[in-house]
Amino acid sequence: MDTSQLPGAVDEYLTTNREELYGFTERLVGFETQNPPGGTTKVVAWLESLLDDTDLETERIAVDPEKPNLLATLSGESERTLCFNGHLDTVRFDESDWSYDPLGERVGDRIYGRGTTDMKGAVAAMLQVALAYDRTDTTPPAELQFAFVSDEETGGDAGLTTLMETEAFNPDACIVGETTSRAGRYSVSVADRGNIWLTLEASGTAAHGSRPMIGENAIDRLTTAVEQLRTEFGERELPIDDAMDEIIEESIAFYEPEAGAEATRRLYRYPTINLGIIEGGTAINTVPASACARIDIRLTAGVDTRDPLTSIRSCLAGLEGIEISDVSWTRGSYEPLDSPVVAASASAAESVVDDSIFRRSATGGGDAKVLRHDGTPTVEFGFGTQTAHGTDEYTTTDALVRNAIAYAILPLEYAQSLDRSPE
């Protein structure tokens, strides 16, 4: 790892206090914050107590008292504000499925527990970076904010959305600490995909199962509609902004070892259609009179979601007994590759690994999308494992150290990138 850019005192602090970093991770994971219900009062209180004896200004911001957010700010040399964002809630777990304690268990160089890699490990690294600058009396080149938020895993409005409505939160750029490494490949996520969620409702005519020709089978109508959606709409190449071309190529290179180049290219150049839920019928010997399917469609950033919605409606318009309902959608977002926060994050990542850093699009979307659509240049960047949301989720001590060092370097890289960037 190349830590030559770090102020000597900060470098020494991070080097000599690695057990503190591991301890922060275990302590954070020890707070049960499964969402739902997603309560974070205890973990926020602990963070407040830890930062109480520092020069960081802290503010608890909550619209739901059970789901508070904590904003901690450290003054810098310039008025520019660089924010590190991490969510404190986790997805749920069934303890009986786990081989290790889901509320934290360290075994060798691994720390197991729900949220270790998504994303309390990154939060622990952000916390240690804040303390490293504060306790060594080192002024960062930009003001640093640390936004520890609730309600991310269910997309609720008590978390980042609430924080963004306050005057205290107005960063110039943001780093979301989601894990962006996979199987020894490292990346900075600079884009995400939009989605359309919809329900197809099929109606038919009930009849006895021994005389199906008398009725109209709603499930048959529904499966015909889903297949038509896949073959007609799903085979149309998406009209994507030219600015996404290089991001897509790096995304293909990143995912190719797992999925293959052609499959990954289709992932970004065409819609993906997933039939998530299908319901219908009341008995095996009855022709069903109704059925429904809930479908998840994903679209690469740079696509105007209104156009695909029109295409979907046209694709299914001629099918008897089929209606579209419960439509919701989001637009994908991307950060241009020449953005200072992209350059800074990629350079910081290169300081702690010997491999190439891909600047790629995420396949889904989270808080980064919300921030980008609000006008805040944002990337996702973090080291971890591929066990997020899985049984026996874990992170490694090496990933934690890399996060802490890279996040400590990032403010310096960001300041340099701003200096190089044309006004």
Side-chain angles (χ1 to χ4, degrees):
M1 296 188 191
D2 180 9
T3 61
S4 58
Q5 287 193 73
L6 280 177
V10 172
D11 187 11
E12 183 179 359
Y13 185 94
L14 296 177
T15 301
T16 59
N17 289 282
R18 290 183 177 178
E19 284 297 328
E20 176 186 67
L21 173 61
Y22 310 150
F24 285 164
T25 305
E26 291 181 87
R27 187 67 188 274
L28 285 164
V29 174
F31 290 99
E32 193 270 283
T33 56
Q34 297 180 81
N35 196 3
T40 56
T41 53
K42 292 182 180 179
V43 64
V44 166
W46 176 74
L47 288 167
E48 285 174 324
S49 67
L50 193 65
L51 296 173
D52 186 54
D53 194 29
T54 70
D55 288 333
L56 279 87
E57 295 184 9
T58 61
E59 183 178 357
R60 182 186 289 218
I61 300 167
V63 66
D64 180 343
E66 296 302 316
K67 299 179 179 181
N69 309 287
L70 185 66
L71 188 64
T73 304
L74 182 65
S75 297
E77 293 176 357
S78 76
E79 294 182 357
R80 293 276 189 169
T81 300
L82 180 65
C83 177
F84 291 90
N85 166 260
H87 64 83
L88 302 171
D89 61 322
T90 71
V91 295
R92 296 189 62 80
F93 62 82
D94 184 344
E95 187 172 1
S96 65
D97 293 336
W98 284 58
S99 303
Y100 303 92
D101 187 346
L103 293 180
E105 182 176 346
R106 184 173 169 186
V107 180
D109 65 350
R110 294 184 177 185
I111 300 176
Y112 290 90
R114 176 58 81 223
T116 45
T117 202
D118 183 20
M119 55 179 295
K120 291 180 177 179
V123 170
M126 294 172 185
L127 180 62
Q128 195 187 38
V129 168
L131 294 176
Y133 275 97
D134 177 78
R135 289 176 176 172
T136 61
D137 294 322
T138 303
T139 303
E143 179 179 85
L144 301 184
Q145 277 193 336
F146 301 87
F148 302 129
V149 302
S150 305
D151 222 15
E152 190 271 349
E153 292 291 2
T154 58
D157 61 1
L160 180 64
T161 303
T162 293
L163 200 63
M164 291 169 63
E165 293 174 350
T166 68
E167 294 183 1
F169 183 79
N170 188 29
D172 294 287
C174 191
I175 294 90
V176 179
E178 297 285 1
T179 294
T180 53
S181 57
R182 293 179 66 85
R185 301 186 305 282
Y186 307 104
S187 72
V188 174
S189 176
V190 302
D192 49 57
R193 298 165 78 205
N195 69 280
I196 300 172
W197 287 355
L198 57 84
T199 298
L200 294 184
E201 296 184 351
S203 59
T205 303
H208 196 282
S210 65
R211 298 182 295 276
M213 74 291 294
I214 297 174
E216 293 289 349
N217 192 306
I219 292 178
D220 287 346
R221 285 180 167 177
L222 183 64
T223 54
T224 297
V226 172
E227 186 59 25
Q228 184 156 313
L229 186 65
R230 283 175 169 156
T231 56
E232 291 191 14
F233 172 72
E235 293 299 319
R236 299 178 188 175
E237 188 168 354
L238 296 167
I240 301 171
D241 290 352
D242 292 344
M244 280 294 298
D245 287 347
E246 189 174 353
I247 296 172
I248 289 174
E249 290 308 306
E250 292 203 27
S251 302
I252 292 169
F254 180 78
Y255 283 109
E256 181 179 0
E258 287 179 81
E262 184 54 32
T264 307
R265 188 177 301 278
R266 288 192 62 84
L267 177 76
Y268 290 106
R269 292 294 182 184
Y270 291 80
T272 58
I273 301 173
N274 180 61
L275 175 56
I277 298 173
I278 187 166
E279 300 170 333
T282 57
I284 192 172
N285 60 346
T286 301
V287 175
S290 63
C292 74
R294 293 176 174 82
I295 297 175
D296 178 0
I297 298 169
R298 302 291 173 126
L299 309 162
T300 297
V303 174
D304 187 335
T305 311
R306 293 169 295 182
D307 294 336
L309 270 171
T310 300
S311 297
I312 290 168
R313 295 185 188 280
S314 298
C315 172
L316 301 176
L319 296 181
E320 187 176 356
I322 297 295
E323 292 186 0
I324 301 173
S325 65
D326 298 331
V327 178
S328 64
W329 58 273
T330 66
R331 291 179 295 113
S333 68
Y334 66 91
E335 188 62 27
L337 294 184
D338 60 0
S339 168
V341 72
V342 173
S345 299
S347 294
E350 288 170 353
S351 298
V352 295
V353 297
D354 296 325
D355 300 283
S356 299
I357 304 299
F358 297 93
R359 301 164 301 173
R360 51 96 177 178
S361 171
T363 56
D367 278 349
K369 178 185 293 185
V370 178
L371 287 159
R372 290 191 197 110
H373 282 319
D374 194 54
T376 302
T378 300
V379 300
E380 292 178 334
F381 166 45
F383 298 97
T385 68
Q386 294 172 242
T387 58
H389 294 201
T391 301
D392 291 335
E393 178 182 352
Y394 73 91
T395 192
T396 66
T397 53
D398 181 63
L400 292 171
V401 169
R402 285 179 172 176
N403 276 333
I405 293 174
Y407 292 162
I409 291 173
L410 245 163
L412 296 104
E413 289 283 0
Y414 179 61
Q416 293 173 15
S417 295
L418 286 173
D419 289 341
R420 293 191 296 267
S421 179
E423 293 294 334

